[in-house]
């Protein structure tokens, strides 16, 4: 019979980071994912890392490529359709963020797995969790060859995203979800053209939201909001570039270099928190437990802070025979999660045109942006949340 100390479900950033942190402490674990590595690396998602995420990679000694290729950003811009309002992260908080794609971070973690003795099994179908209410849970699945598999463990950690089986395995009376679904999604394009500005621009325009981001000095990532349920086929590249130029405002528009999109997709926007983040021998981390709308660039970074707390708790359990940190995990993680939810929700409300809102709501947004432009206190509140609250 196969046995490990921890079975991690999901090889996204949460599962891989946790696996490496536990392996570094000598904790024995197995990571299962239903997809292939190529499929996982094909998903274009987050682009902005907080220092907590960078420092976990440093601690693992997996920061060489991130340090060489990542771009430190000392600030970012808010736009109201006409002007740019700079949020000077470095001056306001003494901290900054790094632009480095989630895809690249995931690749670094995947590539180091073999050398660090982290076992990952891809193509695991019908993953099911059993016995989490006790202290001898197990996980079953069908492997890539169609054979039934089982692993026994002391803890299962659900890092399997919003749609994965872990959260769903918790009985309905043992937890509660809190949710807000937004009436718009983000249409994103990736293109091999230089960014229109050296910093990210989040724009709140009469016509809707736009974000100018980047992956490098030669690769740009842009987003606009579109109605929920919109078909990406309605958005040929030229229409996206035209809309971006209007929404980002004249200064940014002048810097836009157009080019063919190499990826284009629409992501729905949602706020969601599941409480508690532990059920017996099952811990939840990352998108399995919560979703934020992408406006504050918090999703991946929240996954990293959950993993930081979970690794601390599981290491204390296995190395020091102490279960207090496992008992405290959910409360500790949720206290940071709710603050990131609040920030992402409030920035989403400030920057997007809700179809049910009218001219009054638009005036409120413009007044708030004007206030932010004139108040160091307001800028500091945004900057503190954007660089990431303390762990
Ligand atoms: P995931 O990355 O979703 O990984 C879950 C893993 O579980 C996957 O590999 C999946 O294959 C696996 N899995 C699922 N079901 C099963 C199953 N049944 N069996 C086995 N395995 C399973 N966040 C930021 O911090 N900054 C940003 O700038 C940002 N921008 C974003 C932009 C977009 C367009 C999107 C969509 C998201 C963005 N996010 C951002 C959010 C961020 O991408 C997620 O929060 C992050 O991927 C969460 O990591 P995770 O490991 O928890 O989940
Ligand atoms: C990116 C995504 C975000 O959600 C965000 O807030 C900033 C940047 C990006 O993909 O580059």
């Amino acid at each position: 019979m196969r046995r490990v100390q921890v079975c991690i479900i999901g090889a996204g950033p949460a599962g891989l980071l946790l696996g490496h942190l536990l392996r570094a402490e000598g904790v024995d674990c197995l990571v299962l994912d239903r997809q292939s590595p190529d499929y996982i690396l094909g998903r274009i998602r987050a682009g902005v890392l907080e220092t907590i995420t960078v420092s976990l990679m440093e601690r693992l000694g997996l920061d060489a490529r991130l340090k060489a290729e990542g771009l430190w950003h000392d600030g970012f811009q808010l736009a109201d359709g006409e002007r740019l309002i700079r949020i000077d992260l470095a001056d306001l908080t003494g901290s900054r963020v790094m632009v480095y794609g989630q895809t690249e971070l995931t690749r670094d973690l995947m590539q180091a797995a073999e050398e660090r003795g982290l076992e990952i099994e891809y193509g695991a179908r019908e993953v099911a969790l059993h016995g989490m209410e006790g202290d001898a849970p197990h996980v079953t699945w069908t492997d890539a060859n169609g054979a039934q598999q089982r692993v026994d463990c002391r803890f299962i950690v659900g890092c399997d995203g919003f749609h994965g089986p872990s959260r769903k395995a918790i009985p309905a009376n043992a937890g509660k979800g809190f949710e807000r679904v937004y009436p718009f999604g983000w249409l994103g394009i990736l293109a091999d053209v230089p960014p229109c500005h050296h910093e990210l621009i989040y724009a709140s325009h009469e016509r809707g939201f736009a974000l100018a981001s980047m992956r490098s000095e030669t690769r740009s990532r842009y987003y606009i909001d579109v109605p929920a349920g919109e078909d990406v086929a309605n958005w040929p590249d030229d229409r996206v570039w035209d809309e971006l130029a209007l929404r980002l405002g004249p200064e940014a528009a002048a810097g836009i270099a157009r080019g063919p999109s190499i990826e284009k997709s629409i992501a729905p926007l949602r706020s969601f928190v599941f409480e508690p983040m532990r059920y017996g021998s099952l811990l939840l981390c990352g998108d399995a437990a919560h979703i934020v709308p992408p406006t504050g660039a918090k999703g991946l970074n929240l996954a990293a802070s959950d993993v930081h707390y979970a690794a601390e708790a599981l290491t204390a359990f296995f190395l020091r025979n102490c279960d207090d940190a496992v008992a405290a995990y959910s409360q500790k993680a949720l206290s940071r999660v709710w603050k990131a939810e609040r920030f992402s929700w409030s920035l989403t409300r400030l920057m997007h045109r809700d179809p049910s809102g009218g001219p009054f709501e638009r005036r409120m947004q413009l007044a708030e942006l004007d206030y932010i432009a004139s108040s160091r206190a307001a800028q500091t509140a945004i900057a503190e949340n954007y660089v990431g609250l303390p762990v």
Side-chain angles (χ1 to χ4, degrees):
M1 200 164 67
R2 200 161 166 198
R3 190 173 170 85
V4 290
Q5 288 169 306
V6 179
C7 179
I8 298 171
I9 307 177
L16 293 174
L17 263 175
L18 181 63
H20 275 289
L21 287 167
L22 293 178
R23 276 308 301 140
E25 297 293 341
V27 176
D28 188 19
C29 45
L30 169 68
V31 185
L32 297 174
D33 201 290
R34 69 176 169 159
Q35 303 291 0
S36 67
D38 284 350
Y39 181 94
I40 294 170
L41 292 175
R43 296 187 296 222
I44 307 295
R45 290 185 169 177
V48 177
L49 308 183
E50 293 176 8
T51 38
I52 165 71
T53 312
V54 174
S55 64
L56 287 179
M57 293 298 279
E58 272 168 2
R59 213 164 94 191
L60 291 168
L62 297 177
D63 56 331
R65 202 160 69 93
L66 175 145
K67 288 283 163 62
E69 296 174 21
L71 306 169
W72 283 112
H73 280 212
D74 285 346
F76 70 94
Q77 313 277 336
L78 294 174
D80 62 3
E82 284 166 27
R83 65 184 158 159
L84 295 177
I85 304 162
R86 181 157 197 264
I87 307 295
D88 188 333
L89 300 172
D91 177 46
L92 294 162
T93 69
S95 198
R96 52 191 181 158
V97 293
M98 176 177 276
V99 170
Y100 189 67
Q102 174 169 337
T103 313
E104 303 313 317
L105 182 101
T106 309
R107 193 190 308 279
D108 295 340
L109 292 165
M110 273 181 182
Q111 283 179 348
E114 201 178 315
E115 150 209 329
R116 303 280 173 105
L118 174 63
E119 195 185 345
I120 310 174
E121 184 168 327
Y122 296 100
R125 289 176 288 121
E126 292 145 34
V127 170
L129 299 81
H130 312 269
M132 303 93 71
E133 43 298 319
D135 56 11
H138 70 276
V139 177
T140 55
W141 70 99
T142 305
D143 72 15
N145 300 317
Q148 295 300 307
Q149 299 290 349
R150 167 178 172 151
V151 70
D152 289 72
C153 53
R154 178 60 190 87
F155 286 99
I156 303 173
V157 187
C159 298
D160 46 357
F162 184 67
H163 299 287
S166 298
R167 190 185 65 254
K168 292 176 192 154
I170 299 176
N173 62 3
K176 184 171 165 47
F178 300 83
E179 184 170 46
R180 149 103 15 139
V181 176
Y182 300 89
F184 33 74
W186 276 20
L187 184 155
I189 60 166
L190 190 67
D192 277 327
V193 291
C196 68
H197 194 278
H198 66 282
E199 292 183 335
L200 269 64
I201 305 173
Y202 293 81
S204 171
H205 189 276
E206 198 63 48
R207 299 175 66 87
F209 171 79
L211 166 58
S213 180
M214 64 192 77
R215 289 291 176 272
S216 68
E217 272 141 26
T218 55
R219 179 168 283 190
S220 301
R221 179 74 167 154
Y222 287 98
Y223 298 94
I224 51 172
D225 72 342
V226 293
E230 177 74 327
D231 184 352
V232 73
N234 293 331
W235 289 88
D237 289 358
D238 277 341
R239 184 173 177 207
V240 179
W241 290 118
D242 289 347
E243 199 61 37
L244 281 165
L246 288 170
R247 295 186 189 186
L248 287 168
E251 192 181 332
I256 292 180
R258 296 185 180 210
S261 63
I262 50 176
E263 196 269 352
K264 193 193 292 173
S265 54
I266 298 180
L269 261 65
R270 184 194 304 271
S271 296
F272 174 80
V273 180
F274 184 85
E275 290 187 343
M277 287 172 59
R278 179 176 72 93
Y279 171 67
S281 299
L282 168 67
L283 275 61
L284 298 177
C285 288
D287 281 13
H290 41 71
I291 297 286
V292 285
T295 323
K298 291 283 151 248
L300 167 61
N301 296 300
L302 265 191
S305 61
D306 289 352
V307 159
H308 167 78
Y309 297 133
E312 228 172 42
L314 293 170
T315 306
F317 183 89
F318 288 114
L319 272 56
R320 296 193 294 284
N321 219 3
C322 159
D323 54 12
D324 294 356
V326 170
Y329 166 70
S330 175
Q331 206 186 1
K332 206 164 177 180
L334 281 168
S335 137
R336 194 168 188 276
V337 165
W338 275 114
K339 291 181 195 102
E341 290 281 349
R342 186 210 65 79
F343 176 63
S344 308
W345 162 81
S346 74
L347 204 57
T348 299
R349 212 178 35 162
L350 174 65
M351 303 306 292
H352 295 71
R353 294 304 308 272
D354 188 325
S356 67
F360 179 81
E361 280 70 21
R362 180 64 189 152
R363 285 288 195 277
M364 289 295 98
Q365 289 180 328
L366 291 173
E368 189 168 340
L369 285 162
D370 202 27
Y371 170 60
I372 292 166
S374 69
S375 161
R376 186 174 169 90
Q379 290 174 16
T380 305
I382 292 176
E384 277 181 357
N385 284 278
Y386 195 82
V387 298
L389 297 175
V391 283

